Every structure is written in C-alpha cells, then in structure tokens.
Amino acid sequence: IHLFPLSILLADYAENLNLVRLFRNFPDITDAQIQMASAFTTLKWSLLILQVVIVFAGIGLLVYKRTTAKKSS
C-alpha cells in the first residue's frame, strides 16, 4: 500500500506524455490519441480519489480503535 502513490505518479506522467504528443501532432490528432490521454486522466483521478478514501478510512479505523480501547479500559 505504501507504493500506491507511485501508481498515481505513473498515471500522471503517462497523461502528460500523451498531452505532449497531442500538442505536437496538432491539428493532425486521432480520436484514439484523444481517448488514450483521456483514459490516463481518468485513471489518475480515480487512483487519487481511491487513495484519499483509503487514508480517511484508515484515520476512521484508528479513531474507532482508540475510542473503543478507552471504553474497555
């Protein structure tokens, strides 16, 4: 799980490389090139949202464990 942010970084780099390719080929770009760049954008944001959910779930679990441990003591 500690390498998960690396996947976000790689998706961001892939998105950026695809955007550079679109800019260089403009106006002769294909729908496939646009879809590829869009797919990496969607992947990046999906991974980022998932990472945020995991962090908040971990914080919630930590708070829950600490509050229940105090009640049982």
Side-chain angles (χ1 to χ4, degrees), residues 11-39:
D12 187 42
Y13 282 156
E15 174 196 24
N16 292 340
L17 290 172
N18 276 282
L19 290 176
V20 167
R21 187 174 63 181
L22 288 175
F23 293 143
R24 285 187 178 171
N25 293 338
F26 187 79
D28 299 321
I29 54 177
T30 65
D31 287 341
Q33 290 173 322
I34 295 170
Q35 289 174 350
M36 180 72 75
S38 178

Side-chain angles (χ1 to χ4, degrees), residues 7-65:
S7 64
I8 299 169
L9 175 73
L10 294 175
D12 187 42
Y13 282 156
E15 174 196 24
N16 292 340
L17 290 172
N18 276 282
L19 290 176
V20 167
R21 187 174 63 181
L22 288 175
F23 293 143
R24 285 187 178 171
N25 293 338
F26 187 79
D28 299 321
I29 54 177
T30 65
D31 287 341
Q33 290 173 322
I34 295 170
Q35 289 174 350
M36 180 72 75
S38 178
F40 280 117
T41 301
T42 302
L43 177 64
K44 177 186 72 172
W45 285 106
S46 299
L47 291 171
L48 183 63
I49 290 168
L50 182 59
Q51 178 72 31
V52 170
V53 168
I54 290 170
V55 167
F56 280 116
I59 291 170
L61 184 61
L62 181 65
V63 169
Y64 174 76
K65 285 184 175 183

Side-chain angles (χ1 to χ4, degrees), residues 64-73:
Y64 174 76
K65 285 184 175 183
R66 287 191 178 181
T67 56
T68 56
K70 287 181 181 180
K71 289 179 184 179
S72 63
S73 297

